[in-house]
Amino acid sequence: MRNKEDGTMVLRIGMIGLGRMGAAMAARLIERGHAVGGWNRTIERAAAIGGLAVKASPADVVAGADTILVSLLDEDAAETVYRGDAGILAVGLERKTVVDMSTLKPADMQANADAVIGAGGFFVACPVGGTVGPARSGKLLGLAGGDPAAIGRVQPVLDELCERIERFDTPQAAAAMKLAINLPLLVAFQALGEAALLTRDFGIDQKRLVSIIAGSPGGAPAIGLRAEAILAEMQGRRANTVGFSLEAVEKDLRLIDEAGRKLGFNLPVTEAVRRLAHDATREGWGDRDLAALTAFNLRA
């Protein structure tokens, strides 16, 4: 590959899955001067990304890249992308590295890893912490699991997207860590909604409530970062942007619940918040931001 003006290499990167996060990561990599080809189930999303070489299938993405990033909603989408006609496993993977950045159950992530490695490729699980803004600015938290040599192969790509990378021995461990970091985040937004109910009849302004909780020992950092969106949703207005949809929230809580059950644990807090997220999506809130989880119990 050719060098960029600063002497660094132009990397050949493929992006499979161009939802909110995938599109943000692709745009970041293109802006950084890399050659990026991408595929999405709905071609309109791919075509909207300036500078992206739109590919006809996941197999076409693999054929034109050295590093293939995968960012998908759930295990059903992953099954199609990996094992379907013209999927990742339909073409040669020698000397290619697949980096799966999706949020999946540990067993599903490991199954994808085994399939890629069995086909002669390298595999790194690297689900990320952060939403669209950090993805666009290269400030994600990367949770990289797999063989150290495989992680080393894709370090230059991960460095473009992540300001911090934590390494794990296996893809399963990285997938479990992603579920682990999402759980307290999602619970915090539900807890904030209940805190708003607790204080509503005592004349405490919602903006003041959010500010005090965000600055307290019990306040998750994301509450302060999403304060504007939270207040909009509390006041009956939709947040201006959607960084993490309630549809995705419900999916992640399902994965956490199922992963816990497979390990023999009951996760009652997860179950409770999952029911609330399910009710919200069933009532048409699925395309709203995570901030709406706080407001759902406050609706008239």
Side-chain angles (χ1 to χ4, degrees):
M1 293 299 292
R2 68 187 185 277
N3 288 340
K4 293 191 283 186
E5 291 183 1
D6 63 4
T8 58
M9 294 293 291
V10 175
L11 304 172
R12 296 198 316 157
I13 303 167
M15 189 81 223
I16 297 175
L18 294 163
R20 292 184 181 93
M21 286 295 289
M25 288 188 282
R28 162 75 178 175
L29 293 167
I30 292 166
E31 185 178 82
R32 295 287 294 168
H34 300 296
V36 183
W39 173 87
N40 194 67
R41 183 175 57 85
T42 53
I43 195 170
E44 293 82 7
R45 283 185 177 271
I49 301 171
L52 180 78
V54 179
K55 303 294 183 177
S57 68
D60 287 341
V61 174
V62 172
D66 301 311
T67 301
I68 300 94
L69 308 182
V70 180
S71 180
L72 302 169
L73 177 63
D74 57 23
E75 62 270 43
D76 291 338
E79 180 68 21
T80 299
V81 160
Y82 278 93
R83 299 169 181 82
D85 295 338
I88 290 172
L89 297 169
V91 292
L93 290 172
E94 293 78 8
R95 297 185 298 279
K96 297 180 184 290
T97 306
V98 175
V99 182
D100 200 321
M101 310 183 87
S102 313
T103 301
L104 298 173
K105 287 180 289 188
D108 292 330
M109 187 69 85
Q110 189 64 50
N112 294 336
D114 292 343
V116 168
I117 293 168
F122 299 91
F123 186 93
V124 175
C126 193
V128 293
T131 55
V132 172
R136 194 65 181 81
S137 58
K139 296 186 181 300
L140 294 167
L141 165 63
L143 307 169
D147 180 75
I151 297 174
R153 289 173 66 91
V154 296
Q155 190 77 45
V157 178
L158 298 182
D159 285 344
E160 295 282 28
L161 298 171
C162 304
E163 67 175 353
R164 175 183 169 191
I165 298 172
E166 293 286 342
R167 292 193 179 205
F168 300 88
D169 292 338
T170 65
Q172 290 190 84
M177 191 70 240
K178 176 57 193 300
L179 297 180
I181 68 170
N182 275 16
L183 176 53
L185 168 68
L186 303 181
V187 169
F189 276 74
Q190 164 61 6
L192 179 61
E194 294 183 15
L197 283 174
L198 186 65
T199 58
R200 184 168 61 182
D201 294 338
F202 296 93
I204 299 173
D205 178 75
Q206 290 176 339
K207 183 175 182 179
R208 187 181 183 199
L209 167 75
V210 172
S211 175
I212 291 172
I213 290 180
S216 75
I223 291 175
L225 293 172
R226 270 186 156 89
E228 183 177 343
I230 290 168
L231 288 167
E233 293 285 354
M234 281 183 166
Q235 294 162 8
R237 298 178 286 109
R238 292 178 68 107
N240 289 331
T241 60
V242 179
F244 188 6
S245 71
L246 282 184
E247 177 187 26
V249 166
E250 182 186 12
K251 182 269 300 185
D252 282 6
L253 288 164
R254 174 180 63 79
L255 296 183
I256 294 166
D257 196 10
E258 291 175 356
R261 290 176 186 277
K262 185 174 180 63
L263 292 168
F265 302 127
N266 290 322
L267 303 175
V269 173
T270 298
E271 293 170 9
V273 183
R274 179 183 173 187
R275 285 194 296 271
L276 184 84
H278 173 74
D279 289 346
T281 55
R282 187 177 59 187
E283 293 190 23
W285 289 44
D287 62 345
R288 296 169 78 151
D289 185 73
L290 166 60
L293 189 64
T294 297
F296 187 65
N297 277 343
L298 304 177
R299 66 198 187 286

